[in-house]
């Protein structure tokens, strides 16, 4: 009987984590089922590292019908060693546009690591924006988040916040109150863009 109660309690804890993050605005895409989160990670693993492992999973991708899709549009777990060729900065801008629900058009980029040249351009509010990006081997220029926040600073009190990981970062589009509550729950501390 005690073992059965323990299993029920674990299920509740996992559900509590999902519910708490959802209340903070971080949830799975509507077309996905929560069972997807348990395909590669067990409930007990989520409980041993509460909120942290779940944030990483929600920020990742999952294979659905032989296609990789974002688990959540509200958080992004990004490997910052991701700039190798044309299209890489465009993918970053597309994902940020998707997270923020901004209408970005004509997204294009140019990446030439050997010649230390990289830029990304897009149209926003009928204005063509072009950013030169620093080249440091295949590392993402983290200034992109700051530039994006400067671009959207007229959009209410919501902006991009990041939490630096070893070789990557978690990116979220939050207001200050969400960040304060989230930072109480997780070891990954979200901060204003560098």
């Amino acid at each position: 009987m005690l073992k059965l109660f323990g299993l029920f309690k674990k299920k509740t804890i996992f559900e509590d984590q999902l519910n708490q993050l959802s209340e903070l605005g971080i949830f799975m895409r509507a077309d996905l089922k929560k069972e997807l989160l348990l395909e590669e990670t067990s409930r007990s693993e989520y409980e041993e590292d509460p909120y942290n492992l779940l944030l990483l999973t929600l920020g990742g991708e999952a294979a659905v019908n032989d296609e990789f899709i974002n688990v959540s549009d509200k958080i992004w777990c990004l490997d910052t060693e991701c700039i190798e060729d044309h299209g890489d900065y465009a993918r970053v801008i597309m994902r940020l546009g998707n997270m923020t629900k901004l209408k970005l058009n004509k997204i294009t980029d140019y990446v030439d690591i050997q010649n230390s040249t990289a830029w990304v351009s897009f149209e926003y509010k009928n204005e063509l924006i072009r950013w030169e990006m620093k080249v440091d081997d295949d590392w993402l220029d983290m200034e992109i988040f700051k530039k994006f926040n400067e671009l959207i600073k007229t959009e209410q009190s919501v902006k991009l916040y990041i939490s630096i990981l070893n070789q990557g970062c978690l990116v979220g589009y939050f207001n200050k109150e969400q960040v304060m509550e989230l930072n109480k729950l997780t070891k990954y501390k979200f901060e204003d863009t560098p």
Side-chain angles (χ1 to χ4, degrees):
M1 184 71 168
L2 288 174
K3 285 185 180 180
L4 185 60
F5 178 74
L7 288 175
F8 179 74
K9 186 176 179 186
K10 285 183 180 182
K11 180 179 178 188
T12 305
I13 292 173
F14 172 71
E15 297 290 334
D16 286 347
Q17 290 179 49
L18 275 175
N19 291 337
Q20 183 70 39
L21 290 178
S22 181
E23 286 175 16
L24 290 174
I26 303 171
F27 43 85
M28 293 180 68
R29 289 173 38 156
D31 57 337
L32 299 178
K33 296 185 183 331
K34 68 180 176 193
E35 287 74 26
L36 180 74
L37 300 174
L38 298 169
E39 286 182 1
E40 294 184 22
T41 307
S42 70
R43 288 179 188 276
S44 62
E45 289 174 296
Y46 285 119
E47 291 169 10
E48 289 169 18
D49 193 11
Y51 298 103
N52 302 312
L53 189 54
L54 187 53
L55 272 177
L56 295 175
T57 305
L58 288 169
E61 294 181 330
V64 177
N65 300 326
D66 298 324
E67 183 183 343
F68 282 96
I69 62 169
N70 303 326
V71 176
S72 173
D73 293 329
K74 305 299 178 183
I75 190 86
W76 183 17
C77 184
L78 168 65
D79 180 349
T80 54
E81 193 176 12
C82 64
I83 305 299
E84 297 175 356
D85 206 349
H86 306 308
D88 291 339
Y89 273 111
R91 275 189 286 283
V92 171
I93 292 295
M94 283 186 258
R95 181 70 195 262
L96 295 177
N98 186 39
M99 287 179 76
T100 59
K101 304 296 184 223
L102 297 183
K103 302 276 191 253
L104 306 177
N105 300 303
K106 300 179 183 175
I107 302 170
T108 188
D109 70 0
Y110 182 86
V111 176
D112 184 345
I113 301 295
Q114 288 188 323
N115 291 310
S116 296
T117 304
W119 55 262
V120 63
S121 69
F122 54 93
E123 190 178 83
Y124 175 59
K125 293 186 175 181
N126 297 319
E127 180 184 346
L128 186 62
I129 310 289
R130 179 179 157 133
W131 295 331
E132 299 293 326
M133 308 309 300
K134 283 187 292 191
V135 176
D136 180 14
D137 292 322
D138 55 355
W139 293 95
L140 175 74
D141 182 352
M142 298 293 279
E143 280 285 307
I144 197 166
F145 301 119
K146 184 176 185 177
K147 290 178 180 196
F148 206 88
N149 271 342
E150 288 171 6
L151 179 74
I152 61 174
K153 64 183 169 191
T154 59
E155 306 290 322
Q156 301 175 358
S157 63
V158 185
K159 63 182 179 178
L160 296 173
Y161 286 88
I162 61 173
S163 177
I164 303 294
L165 310 175
N166 290 337
Q167 185 179 308
C169 63
L170 282 168
V171 182
Y173 187 57
F174 307 125
N175 63 39
K176 200 166 200 145
E177 292 75 27
Q178 286 172 293
V179 169
M180 288 171 48
E181 291 303 314
L182 195 54
N183 284 346
K184 291 177 189 175
L185 295 177
T186 176
K187 67 182 178 187
Y188 303 123
K189 301 306 177 202
F190 286 85
E191 299 175 353
D192 209 343
T193 55

mmCIF file of all heavy atoms in Angstrom, residues 94-128:
data_model
loop_
_atom_site.group_PDB
_atom_site.id
_atom_site.type_symbol
_atom_site.label_atom_id
_atom_site.label_comp_id
_atom_site.label_asym_id
_atom_site.label_seq_id
_atom_site.Cartn_x
_atom_site.Cartn_y
_atom_site.Cartn_z
ATOM 1 N N MET A 94 13.796 33.071 -36.786
ATOM 2 C CA MET A 94 12.469 32.444 -36.936
ATOM 3 C C MET A 94 11.960 31.938 -35.599
ATOM 4 O O MET A 94 10.792 32.126 -35.257
ATOM 5 C CB MET A 94 12.517 31.316 -37.956
ATOM 6 C CG MET A 94 12.529 31.790 -39.380
ATOM 7 S SD MET A 94 12.409 30.434 -40.566
ATOM 8 C CE MET A 94 14.100 30.301 -41.094
ATOM 9 N N ARG A 95 12.839 31.297 -34.822
ATOM 10 C CA ARG A 95 12.421 30.761 -33.524
ATOM 11 C C ARG A 95 12.066 31.901 -32.562
ATOM 12 O O ARG A 95 11.078 31.827 -31.831
ATOM 13 C CB ARG A 95 13.529 29.883 -32.937
ATOM 14 C CG ARG A 95 13.184 29.260 -31.587
ATOM 15 C CD ARG A 95 12.122 28.185 -31.706
ATOM 16 N NE ARG A 95 11.541 27.838 -30.440
ATOM 17 C CZ ARG A 95 11.876 26.810 -29.677
ATOM 18 N NH1 ARG A 95 12.825 26.001 -30.057
ATOM 19 N NH2 ARG A 95 11.257 26.580 -28.551
ATOM 20 N N LEU A 96 12.858 32.971 -32.554
ATOM 21 C CA LEU A 96 12.538 34.110 -31.690
ATOM 22 C C LEU A 96 11.227 34.764 -32.125
ATOM 23 O O LEU A 96 10.425 35.170 -31.281
ATOM 24 C CB LEU A 96 13.679 35.132 -31.704
ATOM 25 C CG LEU A 96 15.010 34.662 -31.102
ATOM 26 C CD1 LEU A 96 16.080 35.739 -31.248
ATOM 27 C CD2 LEU A 96 14.852 34.237 -29.651
ATOM 28 N N GLY A 97 11.006 34.852 -33.423
ATOM 29 C CA GLY A 97 9.738 35.383 -33.932
ATOM 30 C C GLY A 97 8.571 34.525 -33.496
ATOM 31 O O GLY A 97 7.512 35.020 -33.108
ATOM 32 N N ASN A 98 8.764 33.216 -33.527
ATOM 33 C CA ASN A 98 7.719 32.285 -33.106
ATOM 34 C C ASN A 98 7.436 32.422 -31.612
ATOM 35 O O ASN A 98 6.280 32.432 -31.186
ATOM 36 C CB ASN A 98 8.144 30.853 -33.444
ATOM 37 C CG ASN A 98 7.061 29.843 -33.170
ATOM 38 O OD1 ASN A 98 5.891 30.095 -33.406
ATOM 39 N ND2 ASN A 98 7.448 28.693 -32.676
ATOM 40 N N MET A 99 8.478 32.556 -30.806
ATOM 41 C CA MET A 99 8.304 32.697 -29.354
ATOM 42 C C MET A 99 7.560 33.978 -29.001
ATOM 43 O O MET A 99 6.736 33.995 -28.096
ATOM 44 C CB MET A 99 9.674 32.717 -28.655
ATOM 45 C CG MET A 99 10.370 31.392 -28.598
ATOM 46 S SD MET A 99 11.985 31.541 -27.795
ATOM 47 C CE MET A 99 11.461 31.670 -26.084
ATOM 48 N N THR A 100 7.901 35.054 -29.699
ATOM 49 C CA THR A 100 7.357 36.371 -29.360
ATOM 50 C C THR A 100 6.073 36.695 -30.120
ATOM 51 O O THR A 100 5.432 37.708 -29.827
ATOM 52 C CB THR A 100 8.398 37.457 -29.670
ATOM 53 O OG1 THR A 100 8.738 37.406 -31.057
ATOM 54 C CG2 THR A 100 9.653 37.268 -28.827
ATOM 55 N N LYS A 101 5.740 35.872 -31.102
ATOM 56 C CA LYS A 101 4.561 36.078 -31.960
ATOM 57 C C LYS A 101 4.664 37.361 -32.787
ATOM 58 O O LYS A 101 3.650 37.939 -33.176
ATOM 59 C CB LYS A 101 3.253 36.086 -31.143
ATOM 60 C CG LYS A 101 3.033 34.835 -30.316
ATOM 61 C CD LYS A 101 2.885 33.612 -31.166
ATOM 62 C CE LYS A 101 2.572 32.392 -30.331
ATOM 63 N NZ LYS A 101 3.320 31.226 -30.738
ATOM 64 N N LEU A 102 5.888 37.810 -33.040
ATOM 65 C CA LEU A 102 6.080 38.980 -33.885
ATOM 66 C C LEU A 102 5.981 38.577 -35.353
ATOM 67 O O LEU A 102 6.377 37.479 -35.727
ATOM 68 C CB LEU A 102 7.450 39.612 -33.633
ATOM 69 C CG LEU A 102 7.705 40.164 -32.244
ATOM 70 C CD1 LEU A 102 9.083 40.810 -32.185
ATOM 71 C CD2 LEU A 102 6.656 41.175 -31.834
ATOM 72 N N LYS A 103 5.473 39.456 -36.143
ATOM 73 C CA LYS A 103 5.340 39.221 -37.582
ATOM 74 C C LYS A 103 6.651 39.619 -38.256
ATOM 75 O O LYS A 103 6.890 40.790 -38.522
ATOM 76 C CB LYS A 103 4.187 40.045 -38.161
ATOM 77 C CG LYS A 103 2.856 39.765 -37.504
ATOM 78 C CD LYS A 103 2.204 38.550 -38.115
ATOM 79 C CE LYS A 103 0.783 38.415 -37.658
ATOM 80 N NZ LYS A 103 0.559 37.372 -36.718
ATOM 81 N N LEU A 104 7.492 38.636 -38.506
ATOM 82 C CA LEU A 104 8.772 38.862 -39.169
ATOM 83 C C LEU A 104 8.698 38.248 -40.557
ATOM 84 O O LEU A 104 8.256 37.108 -40.714
ATOM 85 C CB LEU A 104 9.909 38.218 -38.376
ATOM 86 C CG LEU A 104 10.018 38.619 -36.897
ATOM 87 C CD1 LEU A 104 11.139 37.847 -36.229
ATOM 88 C CD2 LEU A 104 10.234 40.114 -36.759
ATOM 89 N N ASN A 105 9.128 38.993 -41.555
ATOM 90 C CA ASN A 105 9.074 38.524 -42.938
ATOM 91 C C ASN A 105 10.445 38.622 -43.577
ATOM 92 O O ASN A 105 11.334 39.297 -43.072
ATOM 93 C CB ASN A 105 8.076 39.380 -43.744
ATOM 94 C CG ASN A 105 6.683 39.298 -43.167
ATOM 95 O OD1 ASN A 105 6.117 38.229 -43.031
ATOM 96 N ND2 ASN A 105 6.144 40.446 -42.791
ATOM 97 N N LYS A 106 10.568 37.973 -44.726
ATOM 98 C CA LYS A 106 11.781 38.051 -45.555
ATOM 99 C C LYS A 106 13.045 37.801 -44.740
ATOM 100 O O LYS A 106 14.036 38.525 -44.849
ATOM 101 C CB LYS A 106 11.855 39.402 -46.257
ATOM 102 C CG LYS A 106 10.670 39.666 -47.172
ATOM 103 C CD LYS A 106 10.767 41.021 -47.818
ATOM 104 C CE LYS A 106 9.515 41.270 -48.664
ATOM 105 N NZ LYS A 106 9.488 42.627 -49.219
ATOM 106 N N ILE A 107 13.024 36.752 -43.928
ATOM 107 C CA ILE A 107 14.173 36.413 -43.087
ATOM 108 C C ILE A 107 15.237 35.734 -43.948
ATOM 109 O O ILE A 107 14.960 34.746 -44.621
ATOM 110 C CB ILE A 107 13.755 35.485 -41.926
ATOM 111 C CG1 ILE A 107 12.676 36.155 -41.075
ATOM 112 C CG2 ILE A 107 14.962 35.106 -41.082
ATOM 113 C CD1 ILE A 107 12.030 35.238 -40.053
ATOM 114 N N THR A 108 16.432 36.287 -43.911
ATOM 115 C CA THR A 108 17.546 35.701 -44.649
ATOM 116 C C THR A 108 18.845 35.976 -43.891
ATOM 117 O O THR A 108 18.880 36.831 -43.007
ATOM 118 C CB THR A 108 17.621 36.256 -46.092
ATOM 119 O OG1 THR A 108 18.597 35.524 -46.824
ATOM 120 C CG2 THR A 108 17.940 37.731 -46.108
ATOM 121 N N ASP A 109 19.868 35.241 -44.217
ATOM 122 C CA ASP A 109 21.154 35.466 -43.575
ATOM 123 C C ASP A 109 22.291 35.076 -44.505
ATOM 124 O O ASP A 109 22.067 34.560 -45.600
ATOM 125 C CB ASP A 109 21.252 34.707 -42.241
ATOM 126 C CG ASP A 109 21.358 33.191 -42.416
ATOM 127 O OD1 ASP A 109 21.361 32.691 -43.561
ATOM 128 O OD2 ASP A 109 21.447 32.489 -41.398
ATOM 129 N N TYR A 110 23.488 35.362 -44.047
ATOM 130 C CA TYR A 110 24.700 34.962 -44.749
ATOM 131 C C TYR A 110 25.722 34.606 -43.691
ATOM 132 O O TYR A 110 25.969 35.390 -42.763
ATOM 133 C CB TYR A 110 25.223 36.112 -45.622
ATOM 134 C CG TYR A 110 26.460 35.749 -46.407
ATOM 135 C CD1 TYR A 110 26.368 35.119 -47.644
ATOM 136 C CD2 TYR A 110 27.721 36.031 -45.897
ATOM 137 C CE1 TYR A 110 27.506 34.779 -48.359
ATOM 138 C CE2 TYR A 110 28.866 35.685 -46.613
ATOM 139 C CZ TYR A 110 28.744 35.061 -47.832
ATOM 140 O OH TYR A 110 29.874 34.720 -48.549
ATOM 141 N N VAL A 111 26.290 33.409 -43.803
ATOM 142 C CA VAL A 111 27.284 32.959 -42.831
ATOM 143 C C VAL A 111 28.473 32.381 -43.582
ATOM 144 O O VAL A 111 28.323 31.427 -44.344
ATOM 145 C CB VAL A 111 26.695 31.889 -41.874
ATOM 146 C CG1 VAL A 111 27.770 31.354 -40.930
ATOM 147 C CG2 VAL A 111 25.517 32.446 -41.088
ATOM 148 N N ASP A 112 29.629 32.977 -43.371
ATOM 149 C CA ASP A 112 30.879 32.496 -43.954
ATOM 150 C C ASP A 112 31.924 32.542 -42.847
ATOM 151 O O ASP A 112 32.568 33.557 -42.626
ATOM 152 C CB ASP A 112 31.295 33.369 -45.141
ATOM 153 C CG ASP A 112 32.538 32.854 -45.853
ATOM 154 O OD1 ASP A 112 33.246 31.993 -45.281
ATOM 155 O OD2 ASP A 112 32.810 33.331 -46.971
ATOM 156 N N ILE A 113 32.066 31.440 -42.140
ATOM 157 C CA ILE A 113 32.949 31.372 -40.979
ATOM 158 C C ILE A 113 34.400 31.645 -41.379
ATOM 159 O O ILE A 113 35.106 32.404 -40.714
ATOM 160 C CB ILE A 113 32.846 29.989 -40.276
ATOM 161 C CG1 ILE A 113 31.409 29.702 -39.822
ATOM 162 C CG2 ILE A 113 33.819 29.895 -39.108
ATOM 163 C CD1 ILE A 113 30.866 30.602 -38.761
ATOM 164 N N GLN A 114 34.847 31.055 -42.480
ATOM 165 C CA GLN A 114 36.253 31.196 -42.883
ATOM 166 C C GLN A 114 36.628 32.642 -43.185
ATOM 167 O O GLN A 114 37.762 33.053 -42.960
ATOM 168 C CB GLN A 114 36.559 30.310 -44.076
ATOM 169 C CG GLN A 114 36.608 28.839 -43.695
ATOM 170 C CD GLN A 114 37.101 27.966 -44.822
ATOM 171 O OE1 GLN A 114 36.800 28.211 -45.980
ATOM 172 N NE2 GLN A 114 37.868 26.941 -44.462
ATOM 173 N N ASN A 115 35.695 33.420 -43.701
ATOM 174 C CA ASN A 115 35.970 34.824 -44.012
ATOM 175 C C ASN A 115 35.438 35.783 -42.945
ATOM 176 O O ASN A 115 35.355 36.993 -43.176
ATOM 177 C CB ASN A 115 35.401 35.189 -45.388
ATOM 178 C CG ASN A 115 36.173 34.494 -46.501
ATOM 179 O OD1 ASN A 115 37.399 34.550 -46.524
ATOM 180 N ND2 ASN A 115 35.464 33.837 -47.395
ATOM 181 N N SER A 116 35.055 35.234 -41.790
ATOM 182 C CA SER A 116 34.569 36.019 -40.643
ATOM 183 C C SER A 116 33.450 36.986 -41.016
ATOM 184 O O SER A 116 33.450 38.149 -40.614
ATOM 185 C CB SER A 116 35.727 36.784 -39.992
ATOM 186 O OG SER A 116 36.659 35.873 -39.453
ATOM 187 N N THR A 117 32.479 36.482 -41.778
ATOM 188 C CA THR A 117 31.345 37.303 -42.191
ATOM 189 C C THR A 117 30.045 36.601 -41.833
ATOM 190 O O THR A 117 29.841 35.434 -42.174
ATOM 191 C CB THR A 117 31.371 37.546 -43.720
ATOM 192 O OG1 THR A 117 32.628 38.127 -44.070
ATOM 193 C CG2 THR A 117 30.248 38.456 -44.141
ATOM 194 N N ALA A 118 29.194 37.337 -41.136
ATOM 195 C CA ALA A 118 27.863 36.800 -40.823
ATOM 196 C C ALA A 118 26.909 37.967 -40.610
ATOM 197 O O ALA A 118 27.260 38.962 -39.990
ATOM 198 C CB ALA A 118 27.905 35.927 -39.572
ATOM 199 N N TRP A 119 25.715 37.831 -41.176
ATOM 200 C CA TRP A 119 24.669 38.817 -40.950
ATOM 201 C C TRP A 119 23.318 38.138 -41.084
ATOM 202 O O TRP A 119 23.196 37.055 -41.654
ATOM 203 C CB TRP A 119 24.775 40.018 -41.897
ATOM 204 C CG TRP A 119 24.810 39.699 -43.373
ATOM 205 C CD1 TRP A 119 25.924 39.608 -44.161
ATOM 206 C CD2 TRP A 119 23.698 39.436 -44.237
ATOM 207 N NE1 TRP A 119 25.565 39.305 -45.450
ATOM 208 C CE2 TRP A 119 24.209 39.204 -45.531
ATOM 209 C CE3 TRP A 119 22.311 39.383 -44.037
ATOM 210 C CZ2 TRP A 119 23.391 38.900 -46.623
ATOM 211 C CZ3 TRP A 119 21.495 39.082 -45.127
ATOM 212 C CH2 TRP A 119 22.044 38.854 -46.395
ATOM 213 N N VAL A 120 22.318 38.791 -40.523
ATOM 214 C CA VAL A 120 20.941 38.315 -40.649
ATOM 215 C C VAL A 120 20.074 39.524 -40.948
ATOM 216 O O VAL A 120 20.333 40.623 -40.443
ATOM 217 C CB VAL A 120 20.478 37.568 -39.373
ATOM 218 C CG1 VAL A 120 20.461 38.477 -38.156
ATOM 219 C CG2 VAL A 120 19.120 36.898 -39.572
ATOM 220 N N SER A 121 19.078 39.333 -41.787
ATOM 221 C CA SER A 121 18.157 40.431 -42.082
ATOM 222 C C SER A 121 16.729 39.901 -42.125
ATOM 223 O O SER A 121 16.487 38.720 -42.372
ATOM 224 C CB SER A 121 18.522 41.118 -43.408
ATOM 225 O OG SER A 121 18.262 40.271 -44.493
ATOM 226 N N PHE A 122 15.793 40.817 -41.869
ATOM 227 C CA PHE A 122 14.375 40.474 -41.885
ATOM 228 C C PHE A 122 13.574 41.759 -41.942
ATOM 229 O O PHE A 122 14.088 42.854 -41.682
ATOM 230 C CB PHE A 122 13.987 39.645 -40.649
ATOM 231 C CG PHE A 122 14.365 40.266 -39.348
ATOM 232 C CD1 PHE A 122 13.473 41.065 -38.647
ATOM 233 C CD2 PHE A 122 15.631 40.052 -38.809
ATOM 234 C CE1 PHE A 122 13.829 41.645 -37.448
ATOM 235 C CE2 PHE A 122 15.993 40.635 -37.597
ATOM 236 C CZ PHE A 122 15.095 41.427 -36.916
ATOM 237 N N GLU A 123 12.308 41.599 -42.243
ATOM 238 C CA GLU A 123 11.411 42.750 -42.282
ATOM 239 C C GLU A 123 10.511 42.707 -41.053
ATOM 240 O O GLU A 123 9.936 41.674 -40.724
ATOM 241 C CB GLU A 123 10.571 42.700 -43.560
ATOM 242 C CG GLU A 123 9.776 43.950 -43.815
ATOM 243 C CD GLU A 123 9.010 43.849 -45.127
ATOM 244 O OE1 GLU A 123 7.916 43.249 -45.100
ATOM 245 O OE2 GLU A 123 9.514 44.333 -46.140
ATOM 246 N N TYR A 124 10.409 43.852 -40.364
ATOM 247 C CA TYR A 124 9.564 43.976 -39.190
ATOM 248 C C TYR A 124 8.882 45.337 -39.244
ATOM 249 O O TYR A 124 9.556 46.360 -39.366
ATOM 250 C CB TYR A 124 10.412 43.835 -37.911
ATOM 251 C CG TYR A 124 9.658 44.060 -36.633
ATOM 252 C CD1 TYR A 124 8.562 43.282 -36.294
ATOM 253 C CD2 TYR A 124 10.049 45.047 -35.737
ATOM 254 C CE1 TYR A 124 7.871 43.482 -35.108
ATOM 255 C CE2 TYR A 124 9.376 45.258 -34.545
ATOM 256 C CZ TYR A 124 8.279 44.463 -34.244
ATOM 257 O OH TYR A 124 7.601 44.670 -33.070
ATOM 258 N N LYS A 125 7.565 45.342 -39.176
ATOM 259 C CA LYS A 125 6.761 46.573 -39.264
ATOM 260 C C LYS A 125 7.140 47.382 -40.516
ATOM 261 O O LYS A 125 7.385 48.579 -40.450
ATOM 262 C CB LYS A 125 6.920 47.420 -37.991
ATOM 263 C CG LYS A 125 6.341 46.768 -36.759
ATOM 264 C CD LYS A 125 6.399 47.719 -35.578
ATOM 265 C CE LYS A 125 5.705 47.083 -34.371
ATOM 266 N NZ LYS A 125 5.716 47.967 -33.200
ATOM 267 N N ASN A 126 7.224 46.662 -41.624
ATOM 268 C CA ASN A 126 7.539 47.253 -42.932
ATOM 269 C C ASN A 126 8.911 47.913 -43.002
ATOM 270 O O ASN A 126 9.165 48.737 -43.873
ATOM 271 C CB ASN A 126 6.461 48.260 -43.362
ATOM 272 C CG ASN A 126 5.125 47.577 -43.544
ATOM 273 O OD1 ASN A 126 5.057 46.475 -44.087
ATOM 274 N ND2 ASN A 126 4.073 48.220 -43.084
ATOM 275 N N GLU A 127 9.798 47.570 -42.096
ATOM 276 C CA GLU A 127 11.161 48.101 -42.110
ATOM 277 C C GLU A 127 12.135 46.933 -42.254
ATOM 278 O O GLU A 127 11.997 45.911 -41.584
ATOM 279 C CB GLU A 127 11.446 48.857 -40.814
ATOM 280 C CG GLU A 127 12.831 49.444 -40.746
ATOM 281 C CD GLU A 127 13.137 50.112 -39.405
ATOM 282 O OE1 GLU A 127 12.195 50.348 -38.624
ATOM 283 O OE2 GLU A 127 14.315 50.366 -39.162
ATOM 284 N N LEU A 128 13.111 47.085 -43.129
ATOM 285 C CA LEU A 128 14.125 46.053 -43.301
ATOM 286 C C LEU A 128 15.210 46.242 -42.237
ATOM 287 O O LEU A 128 15.803 47.309 -42.117
ATOM 288 C CB LEU A 128 14.745 46.118 -44.702
ATOM 289 C CG LEU A 128 15.704 44.975 -45.020
ATOM 290 C CD1 LEU A 128 14.974 43.630 -44.988
ATOM 291 C CD2 LEU A 128 16.350 45.187 -46.379
#
